[in-house]
Amino acid sequence: MNDFPGAPDDSASALGGGRLRVLAAMSGGVDSAVAAARAAEAGHDVTGVHLALSGNPQSFRTGARGCCTLEDSRDARRAADVIGIPFYVWDLAERFREDVVDDFVAEYAAGRTPNPCLRCNEKIKFAALLDKAVALGFDAVCTGHYAQIVTTEDGLRELHRAVDPAKDQSYVLGVLDADQLAHALFPLGDTPKELVRAEAERRGLAVAKKPDSHDICFIADGDTQGFLEQRLGTAPGEIVDVDGTKLGDHTGAYGFTIGQRKGLRIGRPAADGKPRYVLDISPVDNRVTVGPVEALDVSALTGTAPRWCGEAPFTAGAYTAQLRAHGEPVAATAELVDGELRVVLAEPVRGIAPGQAVVLYDGTRVVGSATIATTERAAFSST
């Protein structure tokens, strides 16, 4: 039974008909390899490309856990050879550093919590890569993302959730606009992950059992605080309670995130004996505020720089909002107010931080996204 208003297409007819020239972004993992194989098997003229995102790939994660290493480049090349398609490596290291790494550091310095994978999809895979692909005469870019594109009866292309909820990546694709969706192929959206691995094995792809990537690819050891300290230096400041009482010191406010509990280095326990959590990060006075967990409940938010996967909604409407890559959707109302997105949540959501993305859905359809600028806390008593 199909829950979508149209059938998942990713077909030649959806992009103008006929055999397409497809550029397959191959990270070196199992998903992008199977996506490229499916596009080739569908009869398209497929070329594989691996994006070199570091001037020194050995500085990125090794052990088949990232998507930017020398190992990954070699795995992608071997997969392209098995599929029987041409393969190239494109150097986008400078663009990646400027648009993803530098943005990541700047956001933390400003007291916000960015999502580098979302930014990479927006700026690298569906801006820099797609622009270059179109300029070279390709019709579409194919990736291994778990999402679906559906063509409606009116001929409009919509972005929808994948059938596998555990692997759905529509949240990090919520930054794509209608023009980018018009040149995108997501062949895996209709398939659960375990079947993709089984298919890779049947196709003889060596990456069939390769572990999925985790963490942030450009932080080789997974130590985000150490990475930021190396770039931002130490900046001593105070850790205070909600009433302003000093509880401790820190070496950099950028080393904290909203909702953090561990590693606060607070000397004395709270009066109620309950743990404290990071509630606010102020880069202006370099102060970190902590308090009870219930103070993390957010009831409304404002998002800036909204991007729409189709036409922008001009009136207030009821949607579901997703606030983390694998967070549970929550019912919400949303409207555009002076160019910003105002979202009121039907029930409070805990630990939402400025810098994260809010993605709106209408059923399974992605409506659009915005970067969270401010949040409104649900009422709580500190007594």
Side-chain angles (χ1 to χ4, degrees):
M1 181 176 178
N2 197 324
D3 295 328
F4 300 106
D9 50 53
D10 283 342
S11 62
S13 60
L15 292 168
R19 186 170 184 250
L20 302 176
R21 288 194 67 204
V22 174
L23 187 69
M26 302 183 69
S27 67
V30 61
D31 296 328
S32 59
V34 172
R38 287 187 175 187
E41 190 172 69
H44 301 310
D45 179 7
V46 180
T47 296
V49 62
H50 179 79
L51 305 182
L53 300 180
S54 172
N56 176 18
Q58 291 179 329
S59 69
F60 281 11
R61 190 177 307 285
T62 59
R65 290 189 61 200
C67 59
C68 315
T69 69
L70 288 173
E71 300 169 55
D72 297 313
S73 176
R74 293 165 184 155
D75 286 344
R77 184 178 295 278
R78 284 190 285 266
D81 288 342
V82 171
I83 298 168
I85 59 175
F87 178 82
Y88 299 92
V89 175
W90 285 0
D91 183 0
L92 291 178
E94 184 175 353
R95 181 74 180 268
F96 182 79
R97 177 183 57 79
E98 293 174 353
D99 289 345
V100 180
V101 181
D102 289 353
D103 174 80
F104 178 85
V105 174
E107 286 292 283
Y108 267 102
R112 296 186 288 266
T113 305
N115 184 320
C117 293
L118 187 147
R119 194 66 61 229
C120 183
N121 283 323
E122 176 188 1
K123 299 291 187 179
I124 304 301
K125 294 176 182 175
F126 288 95
L129 178 62
L130 180 56
D131 289 348
K132 188 171 182 179
V134 172
L136 291 173
F138 287 93
D139 301 302
V141 165
C142 166
T143 75
H145 286 99
Y146 284 82
Q148 299 194 80
I149 293 178
V150 168
T151 299
T152 68
E153 294 179 355
D154 298 329
L156 300 176
R157 301 193 91 209
E158 299 177 342
L159 179 63
H160 285 254
R161 291 190 182 276
V163 299
D164 185 345
K167 296 300 296 182
D168 175 57
Q169 292 174 296
S170 60
Y171 173 86
V172 296
L173 296 172
V175 292
L176 303 186
D177 61 27
D179 289 339
Q180 291 168 328
L181 287 177
H183 296 280
L185 297 179
F186 303 127
L188 305 187
D190 63 349
T191 309
K193 178 62 179 264
E194 63 269 19
L195 297 184
V196 170
R197 287 198 180 277
E199 180 178 336
E201 196 157 11
R202 289 197 306 271
R203 291 182 181 273
L205 297 169
V207 293
K209 296 182 180 179
K210 184 175 179 178
D212 289 339
S213 58
H214 297 286
D215 304 322
I216 301 169
C217 70
F218 54 84
I219 300 181
D221 58 3
D223 181 7
T224 300
Q225 184 169 351
F227 174 86
L228 292 169
E229 184 172 332
Q230 185 179 14
R231 284 154 179 79
L232 297 173
T234 58
E238 296 181 346
I239 301 174
V240 301
D241 211 337
V242 288
D243 61 3
T245 302
K246 180 179 176 180
L247 301 175
D249 299 286
H250 63 76
T251 58
Y254 53 76
F256 298 85
T257 57
I258 301 297
Q260 179 179 336
R261 174 185 174 184
K262 296 181 179 179
L264 299 184
R265 299 183 296 278
I266 297 174
R268 64 179 187 271
D272 59 7
K274 296 180 179 179
R276 295 184 180 93
Y277 297 78
V278 174
L279 304 181
D280 185 61
I281 302 164
S282 174
V284 176
D285 53 14
N286 203 26
R287 176 174 287 189
V288 176
T289 302
V290 299
V293 66
E294 56 267 25
L296 288 170
D297 289 345
V298 170
S299 58
L301 59 91
T302 298
T304 59
R307 292 175 63 87
W308 308 106
C309 296
E311 290 188 4
F314 293 102
T315 59
Y319 304 94
T320 55
Q322 188 167 329
L323 301 157
R324 298 184 182 91
H326 299 291
E328 288 295 323
V330 59
T333 58
E335 63 178 322
L336 280 172
V337 180
D338 297 328
E340 295 185 337
L341 185 66
R342 166 75 176 171
V343 180
V344 178
L345 305 173
E347 57 187 66
V349 177
R350 186 157 287 173
I352 302 305
Q356 295 175 325
V358 53
V359 179
L360 297 180
Y361 292 81
D362 180 6
T364 62
R365 179 176 68 89
V366 180
V367 178
S369 68
T371 300
I372 298 172
T374 60
T375 60
E376 296 178 18
R377 300 271 167 78
F380 82 99
S381 174
S382 59
T383 60

